[in-house]
Every structure is written in C-alpha cells, then in structure tokens.
Amino acid sequence: MRILTNEPFLRFDFNGNPKIFMQPIKIITTSQIEEVSHCLHLAENALQAGYYVAGYVSYEAIYALNRSLGMDVPHPPTMPLIWFGVFQQFSKNMSHEKGSYEVSSWRLRETNQSYTETFNRMLEIMNEQKIEQINYSVPFFATFSGDGYAYYEQLKLNQKSSYSAFLQIDHQQILSLSPELFFHLHDDYITVKPMKGTIHRGKSYKEDMQLKLWLESSRKNRLENEMITKLMKEELFSITKEESVRIIDQYQVEKYPTVYQMTSTIQAKLNPHISSIDVLKTLFPCGSVTGIPKQKAIQYIAQFEKNARNVYCGAIGYMTPNGEAVFNVPIRTVIIDHDKGEAIFGSGGAITKHSNAEEEYKEIVTKAKVLQNHMEPFRLLETFGLRDGKTIVLEEHIERLINSAKYFDFQINEQKIREELRLIEDQYIEGNWRIRLVVDQFGYYEMDVQPLIDPDHFNVSLAKRPVQSDNIFLYHKTTNRKIYERHKLENKEAFDILLWNERGEITEFTIGNVVVEMDGTLYTPPIECGLLGGTFREKLLKEGKIYERVIHKDELHKCTNIYFINSVRGWIHVEWIKGE
C-alpha cells in the first residue's frame, strides 16, 4: 500500500512495538479552544465503551487546559488543537509500496544574529522575573512533494528513535521521530522520561566518546535535566501515591545517530480512578518543552516565538480500553502540508542563566541534522593483508572494527571472527593475499580471500572536487563507499585518487592513507581533516616513523616524495599521472 489518500492512517513505532490504526468509527477534533475539554470528555467516553483512541494534541491546547493563561491563543495554529480517532482495533504491521518524494534544503529563517538578540532579551527577563528556564524554539522550512510515508521511513532510519509515529490526517502528514517519552501508563503505574541535555555526535569513535563524556559531566546540562525532572516529579504528586514516586536512571545519556541526549526516568503508582485523560490534562504539555516555572515560561514562549508550535511539543500517542496509554513528546517532528507543498520542522533548546547564545544556536542546528542525513543500509568493512600466513596489523584491524561497531550500534562476534582468521592463516601459508570481511548490524559476517595482484602502475591523480570533512563515513570503513567511487570515476586510468577537503587540506587516497616527505620528515594528515584512521598508518604513528600535520593542496609541490600506504600493500611510492 502507499499512504497517499486522505483517509486517516496512524502508525506508532513505539519501542519496537508497532501499532497501526485505520478506518476510525468516529473522529473527535476541534480547532476551537472552548471545545477542547469536551473533546477530551468524548475520548474518555470512547475508552470506557471499549474502543481505542489515537491521535494528537497540539501544544496550543494548553490555553484550554490551563484557563489562568487566558483563552486567547497568541499565534493561531494551522492544524486542529486536538485530533483523536476512535478505533475498534489496531494492526501490528502491514506492507507498503515505497514511493518517491522531493524535499528542498531546509531553511532556518531566524539568523544567528536575530537569535542572539532574542536570547539576550530572554536572559534579561529571566533574571528580572526569576525564571529558571525557558524552552525557546524556532522553525525550519522546506518545500515538499510526493510520498510523505517514504520520507518518514528515511527519517526513521536516520534518527533511530524509540517513539516515532506517522499520522496521515486530511491534507497533512505528521512525521514524528521523537526520542522522548511523555508518559506511559501500564498496570496502574506511570513512567515519564524527561529529556534535557544535548551534544552532537563525534565523527570518529575517539571524538564521539569525548563528547559523550563531556555531556555526562556537563554541569549546565545536568542542571537543566534536574530542573525538569523536579518539575515533573512535583506534577505527578497530584495523580499518584506520593510515597511511590521515584527517580531512576538519572542523567542517563542516550545515543542517537546525530546527537547524545540526557534523560531521567520517573516512575510512580497512580491513585485510584485516575484515567489516561486525567494524566494528559495534568501533565500537558511536557515540562521539558516549556520551562520553569511552567506557567511563566509558557507566557514568555508566546511572547518570544513568532509562530504557533502546532503538534510540535504537544503530544502524539494512543490509549487503550484496558487503561494503557503511551504518548511521545513530538520533538524532531516534521509537519507536511500537501495543499501548500511545504514542510515545517521545529527545533529548540532550554535557555538558563548558564546558557550561551552561540552554543544554543548550534544545538538547534544539530537537532535538525536528522533532516539532512540520507542514511542507507550498510555493513562494516575490514580489508586485511595476509603475507605468508600472517595477518598484518591484526590487532589494529580488530580494534577499529569494534570501535565502529560501538559507534553504529552493530553487534560483533569477535571470537568467531578471530577463529576464522586463524583458519585462513593456516590455509594460506605462502604468498600475498587480501582478506575482505563485512559485518552487518546483527553481527552476521562474510569473509573471502583473494590473491593480491599488483597493478600495471602506481600513478595517482588529484581529486577535482573536495570531500566534506563532516561526512561520518570518511571516518569509518564501511560498504558505503559512494563518495570514494565517485572520485575514482573521474580518472579511471589512475591507480588511486588523492582527496582533499573543503578547506583545501589533503586527506587520503580512496583505498589508503597518504604520507608525504617534506624537509626530510614524513607526514600524514590528522584524522580531523576527514579521513579513515588506517591500521598501518596507526602502527607507523605509534612507532614514530611518521607524524601528523595538516597538508594543504598548494603545498604538494614542496613534497619530495608521496607515498600510498595501507595494511594490504604496505608502502608504495607513487607518481603523478603525466600532465598533473
């Protein structure tokens, strides 16, 4: 099937347990503030009658649920305040045809300068009004056409979130890639998991671990997380047995493809006769997307933000007739309006007195990176050199493989791989061979052995265009080698192509590292330039035979010698193709 009709279609991919709702027997929806409470009452009645209720509540519904804020919505929403379908049942899964789509580059209309000006005004007011935290967000925009469900599948692969959802309602589609649980009700217990604290992922394994450790120990991020956890804990007191409220896994750092996020989990036992709707009305919206004190933060959000949030920062989820309910906090969420041919994505962060405008702006951009990645299935790859029955730099290969597996959350059976390599060594005791190992995300691997054949020449060419040093696949050896293949096609006569980055810095060859001799010293570019940390390169650095140095493209004429190195072929002195 393809999701291209206006018939409601709701898919919840919550914690690997998909639920699909179609053909509602009734739709409960409104765009009027004064009707929100009645809609929630109708939803309650449907649950008591034995039906499932699924859909969303927009952020602006808070003006109906908290009358002290006033009934006037500061920025009129462009979608219903509440939309719930009433369903007799749900499906676990269904097949679908993969359609095509086109999405333009995402644009942030707020400049760094205007963001900084708003940020400074907020800090002034926060100090005057004794506000501890305001969650300020800004929208990204893009044009969109085609199959929104196909885009959802791509974004889901990019983000790998635990609380993703796709909702097709009329001419709008909601693609939520949220990593954040709002609340989960099950067996008279409630779990909430506020998420506050973010840092972008590193490109290499080493950089990635350094950033994770930084977030774990960051005073600012821990303070943000602690404040929201305290707020939500206090909100729970009115609907739970106070002595049962407990915080578990505080300051837990979770890994996603583009960011690390800090979370804390709170669990409690509900008071008797508390329903899913009661919980929604008490906690909405989640404190992690508003601030502290919550009501004042909401008032200043309305003052500083220029657009309605709509379902972004509201709640998306489902409720069952047996009392279970799961809702996410719709962050990392795309709203597509097919009538207008446009898409919008909100991104924000918590502002406190410890915040820095430049860091907060970077965080907003980092959170939007999920939109830009085009992650395709790939496998980890290692190519070993085998000479007379001995695998070259074996330990360096195994270490690199394990590090990349940790980075991408791949499973690795190190023992089995080592055992098979030993069998190969025993079998190929003479000559030079090339072992190719590929491993998928579940740990299944393939290994083959081929004789090492020398090419006719070792002439190389300089790439015609740069690589982008922020491409993570430059730092990990995988089967995703499109970037290398494109450069190889530019000069098929060359043994290999020497690459360089957007700053004009030499990086590597497509199948090996580069070493240059300058003033009698051997240098290789540092990893940060955008290259794979080759195993043979690592060995030579440890032995002090080569040194790291940034080498600019316009310095190549100063090089006495240029070498191609990898563990399969060792050292090779290369020459430029004639005419270069």
Side-chain angles (χ1 to χ4, degrees), residues 142 316 473:
I316 294 175
F473 288 102

Side-chain angles (χ1 to χ4, degrees), residues 1 7-10 20-25 87 89 91 94:
M1 61 163 288
E7 189 69 27
F9 175 91
L10 289 73
I20 296 171
F21 295 91
M22 300 175 66
Q23 298 177 333
I25 62 170
F87 304 88
Q89 60 186 1
S91 304
M94 64 192 309

Side-chain angles (χ1 to χ4, degrees), residues 153-205:
E153 288 291 327
Q154 178 61 59
L155 292 175
K156 196 167 62 166
L157 188 63
N158 291 356
Q159 177 71 4
K160 296 182 180 177
S161 293
S162 297
Y163 296 97
S164 296
F166 174 88
L167 285 70
Q168 161 75 58
I169 298 169
D170 297 325
H171 62 284
Q172 293 178 322
Q173 292 176 324
I174 302 167
L175 291 57
S176 183
L177 295 310
S178 177
E180 184 170 6
L181 171 67
F182 184 12
F183 66 84
H184 182 192
L185 303 186
H186 185 64
D187 291 340
D188 296 325
Y189 276 86
I190 182 170
T191 302
V192 299
K193 196 174 183 181
M195 179 175 283
K196 192 58 65 178
T198 307
I199 189 68
H200 62 87
R201 292 286 305 275
K203 297 177 286 295
S204 66
Y205 175 74

